[in-house]
Amino acid sequence: WTLANYYLRREDWPAFWKWARSAASMPSPNIESLFALCWRVSPDANQITAQIANNKPSFLRPYIGFLMSKQQDTAAATMAKKLVRCGNAGSDRSTLLSVINGLANDGDAGSAVSLWHLLIQHHWIVADTTLPNNAEFAREALPVVFDWRIPQSSGLYSVTGTTGLETVFSGSEPEQCTLADQMLALSPGAYTLQYNYQTTGIPPGSGLRWEIVNPASKTVIGQSPSLSSEAGMQTSFTFS
């Protein structure tokens, strides 16, 4: 990318893009410096992609990271889909799960879900297309917003497996804490959450419950009654 830098200083843009494209076709460990040069010339992800992008995983991996760092979510999602087709699950799965997390947390649920389903279709991950994913907690959770997050809190001990999620409260747990959460990408409408539970030594009104929270407004849009039953229970609640 030295020649690209040379022509940048001379503001010879056709020559700059020619040598930037050449450098991108032979990615080096410091290719991020080339992306930074391109951004100086044109902070337009579409133009940079049109000028220098290729299908080499060694290019796509750092370029996706660069695009995410610049909050260019749409362009990053497009390159991530290319990586699914050109890369391999062993070395690239974690990168793409990070892209899904970034897209979802930035509010681009549509792109996040599209990439998530692509990973499932290509068998890069074992996951469900139904909601919630991994509903019975039977699989080890993936490090992604569309699978369960089991926060670690002092005074709580949680395990997952064939019997679902089991949590032991020691009595020293925080007054307010989350046992498990998962992001759901839902279209407007009415929904029903069905769940099974059983408790031991949890009195009614303890505050233990399911909640549905709008991630943008942090507003609770649905919640279950307090969970307290020494016998196994199957029940549901609706929200919209």
mmCIF file with all atom_site columns, all heavy atoms in Angstrom, residues 138-156:
data_model
loop_
_atom_site.group_PDB
_atom_site.id
_atom_site.type_symbol
_atom_site.label_atom_id
_atom_site.label_alt_id
_atom_site.label_comp_id
_atom_site.label_asym_id
_atom_site.label_entity_id
_atom_site.label_seq_id
_atom_site.pdbx_PDB_ins_code
_atom_site.Cartn_x
_atom_site.Cartn_y
_atom_site.Cartn_z
_atom_site.occupancy
_atom_site.B_iso_or_equiv
_atom_site.pdbx_formal_charge
_atom_site.auth_seq_id
_atom_site.auth_comp_id
_atom_site.auth_asym_id
_atom_site.auth_atom_id
_atom_site.pdbx_PDB_model_num
ATOM 1   N N   . ALA A 1 138 ? -30.894 -26.978 26.145 1.00 0.00 ? 138 ALA A N   1
ATOM 2   C CA  . ALA A 1 138 ? -30.268 -28.293 26.037 1.00 0.00 ? 138 ALA A CA  1
ATOM 3   C C   . ALA A 1 138 ? -28.866 -28.236 25.458 1.00 0.00 ? 138 ALA A C   1
ATOM 4   O O   . ALA A 1 138 ? -28.061 -29.144 25.695 1.00 0.00 ? 138 ALA A O   1
ATOM 5   C CB  . ALA A 1 138 ? -31.143 -29.214 25.187 1.00 0.00 ? 138 ALA A CB  1
ATOM 6   N N   . ARG A 1 139 ? -28.560 -27.191 24.674 1.00 0.00 ? 139 ARG A N   1
ATOM 7   C CA  . ARG A 1 139 ? -27.233 -27.066 24.073 1.00 0.00 ? 139 ARG A CA  1
ATOM 8   C C   . ARG A 1 139 ? -26.418 -26.012 24.803 1.00 0.00 ? 139 ARG A C   1
ATOM 9   O O   . ARG A 1 139 ? -26.973 -25.075 25.401 1.00 0.00 ? 139 ARG A O   1
ATOM 10  C CB  . ARG A 1 139 ? -27.354 -26.658 22.594 1.00 0.00 ? 139 ARG A CB  1
ATOM 11  C CG  . ARG A 1 139 ? -28.053 -27.667 21.707 1.00 0.00 ? 139 ARG A CG  1
ATOM 12  C CD  . ARG A 1 139 ? -27.944 -27.233 20.238 1.00 0.00 ? 139 ARG A CD  1
ATOM 13  N NE  . ARG A 1 139 ? -28.521 -25.922 20.005 1.00 0.00 ? 139 ARG A NE  1
ATOM 14  C CZ  . ARG A 1 139 ? -29.797 -25.723 19.666 1.00 0.00 ? 139 ARG A CZ  1
ATOM 15  N NH1 . ARG A 1 139 ? -30.621 -26.750 19.515 1.00 0.00 ? 139 ARG A NH1 1
ATOM 16  N NH2 . ARG A 1 139 ? -30.253 -24.501 19.458 1.00 0.00 ? 139 ARG A NH2 1
ATOM 17  N N   . GLU A 1 140 ? -25.112 -26.148 24.719 1.00 0.00 ? 140 GLU A N   1
ATOM 18  C CA  . GLU A 1 140 ? -24.246 -25.092 25.239 1.00 0.00 ? 140 GLU A CA  1
ATOM 19  C C   . GLU A 1 140 ? -24.493 -23.825 24.426 1.00 0.00 ? 140 GLU A C   1
ATOM 20  O O   . GLU A 1 140 ? -24.511 -23.854 23.199 1.00 0.00 ? 140 GLU A O   1
ATOM 21  C CB  . GLU A 1 140 ? -22.781 -25.496 25.128 1.00 0.00 ? 140 GLU A CB  1
ATOM 22  C CG  . GLU A 1 140 ? -21.822 -24.464 25.695 1.00 0.00 ? 140 GLU A CG  1
ATOM 23  C CD  . GLU A 1 140 ? -20.374 -24.909 25.614 1.00 0.00 ? 140 GLU A CD  1
ATOM 24  O OE1 . GLU A 1 140 ? -20.138 -26.083 25.239 1.00 0.00 ? 140 GLU A OE1 1
ATOM 25  O OE2 . GLU A 1 140 ? -19.489 -24.088 25.922 1.00 0.00 ? 140 GLU A OE2 1
ATOM 26  N N   . ALA A 1 141 ? -24.705 -22.715 25.108 1.00 0.00 ? 141 ALA A N   1
ATOM 27  C CA  . ALA A 1 141 ? -25.058 -21.474 24.432 1.00 0.00 ? 141 ALA A CA  1
ATOM 28  C C   . ALA A 1 141 ? -23.897 -20.938 23.597 1.00 0.00 ? 141 ALA A C   1
ATOM 29  O O   . ALA A 1 141 ? -22.729 -21.012 24.005 1.00 0.00 ? 141 ALA A O   1
ATOM 30  C CB  . ALA A 1 141 ? -25.499 -20.426 25.445 1.00 0.00 ? 141 ALA A CB  1
ATOM 31  N N   . LEU A 1 142 ? -24.233 -20.407 22.442 1.00 0.00 ? 142 LEU A N   1
ATOM 32  C CA  . LEU A 1 142 ? -23.251 -19.722 21.605 1.00 0.00 ? 142 LEU A CA  1
ATOM 33  C C   . LEU A 1 142 ? -23.050 -18.302 22.117 1.00 0.00 ? 142 LEU A C   1
ATOM 34  O O   . LEU A 1 142 ? -23.966 -17.708 22.698 1.00 0.00 ? 142 LEU A O   1
ATOM 35  C CB  . LEU A 1 142 ? -23.748 -19.675 20.150 1.00 0.00 ? 142 LEU A CB  1
ATOM 36  C CG  . LEU A 1 142 ? -23.925 -21.021 19.444 1.00 0.00 ? 142 LEU A CG  1
ATOM 37  C CD1 . LEU A 1 142 ? -24.731 -20.838 18.158 1.00 0.00 ? 142 LEU A CD1 1
ATOM 38  C CD2 . LEU A 1 142 ? -22.569 -21.630 19.138 1.00 0.00 ? 142 LEU A CD2 1
ATOM 39  N N   . PRO A 1 143 ? -21.874 -17.705 21.880 1.00 0.00 ? 143 PRO A N   1
ATOM 40  C CA  . PRO A 1 143 ? -21.626 -16.330 22.347 1.00 0.00 ? 143 PRO A CA  1
ATOM 41  C C   . PRO A 1 143 ? -22.251 -15.298 21.403 1.00 0.00 ? 143 PRO A C   1
ATOM 42  O O   . PRO A 1 143 ? -21.564 -14.523 20.742 1.00 0.00 ? 143 PRO A O   1
ATOM 43  C CB  . PRO A 1 143 ? -20.093 -16.252 22.346 1.00 0.00 ? 143 PRO A CB  1
ATOM 44  C CG  . PRO A 1 143 ? -19.681 -17.173 21.241 1.00 0.00 ? 143 PRO A CG  1
ATOM 45  C CD  . PRO A 1 143 ? -20.670 -18.315 21.276 1.00 0.00 ? 143 PRO A CD  1
ATOM 46  N N   . VAL A 1 144 ? -23.586 -15.279 21.371 1.00 0.00 ? 144 VAL A N   1
ATOM 47  C CA  . VAL A 1 144 ? -24.306 -14.415 20.436 1.00 0.00 ? 144 VAL A CA  1
ATOM 48  C C   . VAL A 1 144 ? -25.631 -14.030 21.075 1.00 0.00 ? 144 VAL A C   1
ATOM 49  O O   . VAL A 1 144 ? -26.186 -14.777 21.894 1.00 0.00 ? 144 VAL A O   1
ATOM 50  C CB  . VAL A 1 144 ? -24.512 -15.155 19.086 1.00 0.00 ? 144 VAL A CB  1
ATOM 51  C CG1 . VAL A 1 144 ? -25.451 -16.352 19.251 1.00 0.00 ? 144 VAL A CG1 1
ATOM 52  C CG2 . VAL A 1 144 ? -25.021 -14.223 17.999 1.00 0.00 ? 144 VAL A CG2 1
ATOM 53  N N   . VAL A 1 145 ? -26.148 -12.862 20.695 1.00 0.00 ? 145 VAL A N   1
ATOM 54  C CA  . VAL A 1 145 ? -27.367 -12.347 21.327 1.00 0.00 ? 145 VAL A CA  1
ATOM 55  C C   . VAL A 1 145 ? -28.582 -13.211 21.058 1.00 0.00 ? 145 VAL A C   1
ATOM 56  O O   . VAL A 1 145 ? -29.564 -13.160 21.813 1.00 0.00 ? 145 VAL A O   1
ATOM 57  C CB  . VAL A 1 145 ? -27.652 -10.899 20.881 1.00 0.00 ? 145 VAL A CB  1
ATOM 58  C CG1 . VAL A 1 145 ? -26.586 -9.957  21.396 1.00 0.00 ? 145 VAL A CG1 1
ATOM 59  C CG2 . VAL A 1 145 ? -27.782 -10.805 19.362 1.00 0.00 ? 145 VAL A CG2 1
ATOM 60  N N   . PHE A 1 146 ? -28.548 -14.038 19.982 1.00 0.00 ? 146 PHE A N   1
ATOM 61  C CA  . PHE A 1 146 ? -29.682 -14.890 19.656 1.00 0.00 ? 146 PHE A CA  1
ATOM 62  C C   . PHE A 1 146 ? -29.601 -16.264 20.332 1.00 0.00 ? 146 PHE A C   1
ATOM 63  O O   . PHE A 1 146 ? -30.266 -17.204 19.916 1.00 0.00 ? 146 PHE A O   1
ATOM 64  C CB  . PHE A 1 146 ? -29.805 -15.053 18.139 1.00 0.00 ? 146 PHE A CB  1
ATOM 65  C CG  . PHE A 1 146 ? -30.112 -13.776 17.412 1.00 0.00 ? 146 PHE A CG  1
ATOM 66  C CD1 . PHE A 1 146 ? -29.560 -13.522 16.162 1.00 0.00 ? 146 PHE A CD1 1
ATOM 67  C CD2 . PHE A 1 146 ? -30.941 -12.810 17.964 1.00 0.00 ? 146 PHE A CD2 1
ATOM 68  C CE1 . PHE A 1 146 ? -29.836 -12.343 15.486 1.00 0.00 ? 146 PHE A CE1 1
ATOM 69  C CE2 . PHE A 1 146 ? -31.224 -11.624 17.296 1.00 0.00 ? 146 PHE A CE2 1
ATOM 70  C CZ  . PHE A 1 146 ? -30.670 -11.384 16.053 1.00 0.00 ? 146 PHE A CZ  1
ATOM 71  N N   . ASP A 1 147 ? -28.788 -16.369 21.352 1.00 0.00 ? 147 ASP A N   1
ATOM 72  C CA  . ASP A 1 147 ? -28.755 -17.557 22.204 1.00 0.00 ? 147 ASP A CA  1
ATOM 73  C C   . ASP A 1 147 ? -28.756 -17.064 23.647 1.00 0.00 ? 147 ASP A C   1
ATOM 74  O O   . ASP A 1 147 ? -28.655 -15.864 23.916 1.00 0.00 ? 147 ASP A O   1
ATOM 75  C CB  . ASP A 1 147 ? -27.529 -18.426 21.900 1.00 0.00 ? 147 ASP A CB  1
ATOM 76  C CG  . ASP A 1 147 ? -27.746 -19.899 22.246 1.00 0.00 ? 147 ASP A CG  1
ATOM 77  O OD1 . ASP A 1 147 ? -28.660 -20.201 23.051 1.00 0.00 ? 147 ASP A OD1 1
ATOM 78  O OD2 . ASP A 1 147 ? -27.009 -20.747 21.721 1.00 0.00 ? 147 ASP A OD2 1
ATOM 79  N N   . TRP A 1 148 ? -28.861 -17.987 24.582 1.00 0.00 ? 148 TRP A N   1
ATOM 80  C CA  . TRP A 1 148 ? -28.977 -17.602 25.982 1.00 0.00 ? 148 TRP A CA  1
ATOM 81  C C   . TRP A 1 148 ? -27.676 -17.029 26.540 1.00 0.00 ? 148 TRP A C   1
ATOM 82  O O   . TRP A 1 148 ? -26.602 -17.550 26.283 1.00 0.00 ? 148 TRP A O   1
ATOM 83  C CB  . TRP A 1 148 ? -29.388 -18.806 26.837 1.00 0.00 ? 148 TRP A CB  1
ATOM 84  C CG  . TRP A 1 148 ? -30.755 -19.303 26.516 1.00 0.00 ? 148 TRP A CG  1
ATOM 85  C CD1 . TRP A 1 148 ? -31.079 -20.481 25.901 1.00 0.00 ? 148 TRP A CD1 1
ATOM 86  C CD2 . TRP A 1 148 ? -31.992 -18.644 26.794 1.00 0.00 ? 148 TRP A CD2 1
ATOM 87  N NE1 . TRP A 1 148 ? -32.439 -20.594 25.773 1.00 0.00 ? 148 TRP A NE1 1
ATOM 88  C CE2 . TRP A 1 148 ? -33.037 -19.478 26.316 1.00 0.00 ? 148 TRP A CE2 1
ATOM 89  C CE3 . TRP A 1 148 ? -32.337 -17.436 27.401 1.00 0.00 ? 148 TRP A CE3 1
ATOM 90  C CZ2 . TRP A 1 148 ? -34.377 -19.152 26.422 1.00 0.00 ? 148 TRP A CZ2 1
ATOM 91  C CZ3 . TRP A 1 148 ? -33.674 -17.097 27.503 1.00 0.00 ? 148 TRP A CZ3 1
ATOM 92  C CH2 . TRP A 1 148 ? -34.679 -17.944 27.019 1.00 0.00 ? 148 TRP A CH2 1
ATOM 93  N N   . ARG A 1 149 ? -27.826 -15.976 27.282 1.00 0.00 ? 149 ARG A N   1
ATOM 94  C CA  . ARG A 1 149 ? -26.735 -15.446 28.101 1.00 0.00 ? 149 ARG A CA  1
ATOM 95  C C   . ARG A 1 149 ? -27.095 -15.751 29.550 1.00 0.00 ? 149 ARG A C   1
ATOM 96  O O   . ARG A 1 149 ? -28.189 -15.405 30.009 1.00 0.00 ? 149 ARG A O   1
ATOM 97  C CB  . ARG A 1 149 ? -26.575 -13.935 27.895 1.00 0.00 ? 149 ARG A CB  1
ATOM 98  C CG  . ARG A 1 149 ? -25.428 -13.309 28.672 1.00 0.00 ? 149 ARG A CG  1
ATOM 99  C CD  . ARG A 1 149 ? -25.351 -11.815 28.389 1.00 0.00 ? 149 ARG A CD  1
ATOM 100 N NE  . ARG A 1 149 ? -26.482 -11.099 28.969 1.00 0.00 ? 149 ARG A NE  1
ATOM 101 C CZ  . ARG A 1 149 ? -26.467 -10.493 30.162 1.00 0.00 ? 149 ARG A CZ  1
ATOM 102 N NH1 . ARG A 1 149 ? -25.367 -10.508 30.902 1.00 0.00 ? 149 ARG A NH1 1
ATOM 103 N NH2 . ARG A 1 149 ? -27.544 -9.867  30.604 1.00 0.00 ? 149 ARG A NH2 1
ATOM 104 N N   . ILE A 1 150 ? -26.197 -16.417 30.244 1.00 0.00 ? 150 ILE A N   1
ATOM 105 C CA  . ILE A 1 150 ? -26.425 -16.773 31.648 1.00 0.00 ? 150 ILE A CA  1
ATOM 106 C C   . ILE A 1 150 ? -25.455 -15.943 32.485 1.00 0.00 ? 150 ILE A C   1
ATOM 107 O O   . ILE A 1 150 ? -24.296 -16.337 32.698 1.00 0.00 ? 150 ILE A O   1
ATOM 108 C CB  . ILE A 1 150 ? -26.190 -18.281 31.903 1.00 0.00 ? 150 ILE A CB  1
ATOM 109 C CG1 . ILE A 1 150 ? -26.869 -19.139 30.839 1.00 0.00 ? 150 ILE A CG1 1
ATOM 110 C CG2 . ILE A 1 150 ? -26.653 -18.649 33.307 1.00 0.00 ? 150 ILE A CG2 1
ATOM 111 C CD1 . ILE A 1 150 ? -28.376 -19.097 30.856 1.00 0.00 ? 150 ILE A CD1 1
ATOM 112 N N   . PRO A 1 151 ? -25.870 -14.772 32.951 1.00 0.00 ? 151 PRO A N   1
ATOM 113 C CA  . PRO A 1 151 ? -24.944 -13.908 33.700 1.00 0.00 ? 151 PRO A CA  1
ATOM 114 C C   . PRO A 1 151 ? -24.476 -14.576 34.989 1.00 0.00 ? 151 PRO A C   1
ATOM 115 O O   . PRO A 1 151 ? -25.210 -15.347 35.619 1.00 0.00 ? 151 PRO A O   1
ATOM 116 C CB  . PRO A 1 151 ? -25.787 -12.662 34.006 1.00 0.00 ? 151 PRO A CB  1
ATOM 117 C CG  . PRO A 1 151 ? -26.920 -12.696 33.026 1.00 0.00 ? 151 PRO A CG  1
ATOM 118 C CD  . PRO A 1 151 ? -27.201 -14.144 32.798 1.00 0.00 ? 151 PRO A CD  1
ATOM 119 N N   . GLN A 1 152 ? -23.254 -14.292 35.363 1.00 0.00 ? 152 GLN A N   1
ATOM 120 C CA  . GLN A 1 152 ? -22.701 -14.779 36.612 1.00 0.00 ? 152 GLN A CA  1
ATOM 121 C C   . GLN A 1 152 ? -22.862 -13.702 37.681 1.00 0.00 ? 152 GLN A C   1
ATOM 122 O O   . GLN A 1 152 ? -22.333 -12.605 37.542 1.00 0.00 ? 152 GLN A O   1
ATOM 123 C CB  . GLN A 1 152 ? -21.221 -15.134 36.433 1.00 0.00 ? 152 GLN A CB  1
ATOM 124 C CG  . GLN A 1 152 ? -20.966 -16.213 35.398 1.00 0.00 ? 152 GLN A CG  1
ATOM 125 C CD  . GLN A 1 152 ? -21.616 -17.534 35.761 1.00 0.00 ? 152 GLN A CD  1
ATOM 126 O OE1 . GLN A 1 152 ? -21.518 -18.003 36.890 1.00 0.00 ? 152 GLN A OE1 1
ATOM 127 N NE2 . GLN A 1 152 ? -22.301 -18.130 34.793 1.00 0.00 ? 152 GLN A NE2 1
ATOM 128 N N   . SER A 1 153 ? -23.626 -13.995 38.700 1.00 0.00 ? 153 SER A N   1
ATOM 129 C CA  . SER A 1 153 ? -23.842 -13.043 39.792 1.00 0.00 ? 153 SER A CA  1
ATOM 130 C C   . SER A 1 153 ? -23.479 -13.702 41.111 1.00 0.00 ? 153 SER A C   1
ATOM 131 O O   . SER A 1 153 ? -23.697 -14.917 41.294 1.00 0.00 ? 153 SER A O   1
ATOM 132 C CB  . SER A 1 153 ? -25.309 -12.589 39.838 1.00 0.00 ? 153 SER A CB  1
ATOM 133 O OG  . SER A 1 153 ? -25.671 -11.898 38.661 1.00 0.00 ? 153 SER A OG  1
ATOM 134 N N   . SER A 1 154 ? -22.943 -12.917 42.007 1.00 0.00 ? 154 SER A N   1
ATOM 135 C CA  . SER A 1 154 ? -22.599 -13.433 43.332 1.00 0.00 ? 154 SER A CA  1
ATOM 136 C C   . SER A 1 154 ? -23.856 -13.968 44.012 1.00 0.00 ? 154 SER A C   1
ATOM 137 O O   . SER A 1 154 ? -24.911 -13.333 44.010 1.00 0.00 ? 154 SER A O   1
ATOM 138 C CB  . SER A 1 154 ? -21.989 -12.312 44.175 1.00 0.00 ? 154 SER A CB  1
ATOM 139 O OG  . SER A 1 154 ? -21.731 -12.748 45.495 1.00 0.00 ? 154 SER A OG  1
ATOM 140 N N   . GLY A 1 155 ? -23.751 -15.154 44.558 1.00 0.00 ? 155 GLY A N   1
ATOM 141 C CA  . GLY A 1 155 ? -24.886 -15.735 45.266 1.00 0.00 ? 155 GLY A CA  1
ATOM 142 C C   . GLY A 1 155 ? -25.789 -16.579 44.414 1.00 0.00 ? 155 GLY A C   1
ATOM 143 O O   . GLY A 1 155 ? -26.775 -17.135 44.922 1.00 0.00 ? 155 GLY A O   1
ATOM 144 N N   . LEU A 1 156 ? -25.486 -16.697 43.115 1.00 0.00 ? 156 LEU A N   1
ATOM 145 C CA  . LEU A 1 156 ? -26.287 -17.512 42.201 1.00 0.00 ? 156 LEU A CA  1
ATOM 146 C C   . LEU A 1 156 ? -25.421 -18.615 41.612 1.00 0.00 ? 156 LEU A C   1
ATOM 147 O O   . LEU A 1 156 ? -24.245 -18.401 41.323 1.00 0.00 ? 156 LEU A O   1
ATOM 148 C CB  . LEU A 1 156 ? -26.839 -16.666 41.048 1.00 0.00 ? 156 LEU A CB  1
ATOM 149 C CG  . LEU A 1 156 ? -27.911 -15.630 41.351 1.00 0.00 ? 156 LEU A CG  1
ATOM 150 C CD1 . LEU A 1 156 ? -28.258 -14.873 40.074 1.00 0.00 ? 156 LEU A CD1 1
ATOM 151 C CD2 . LEU A 1 156 ? -29.152 -16.284 41.925 1.00 0.00 ? 156 LEU A CD2 1
#
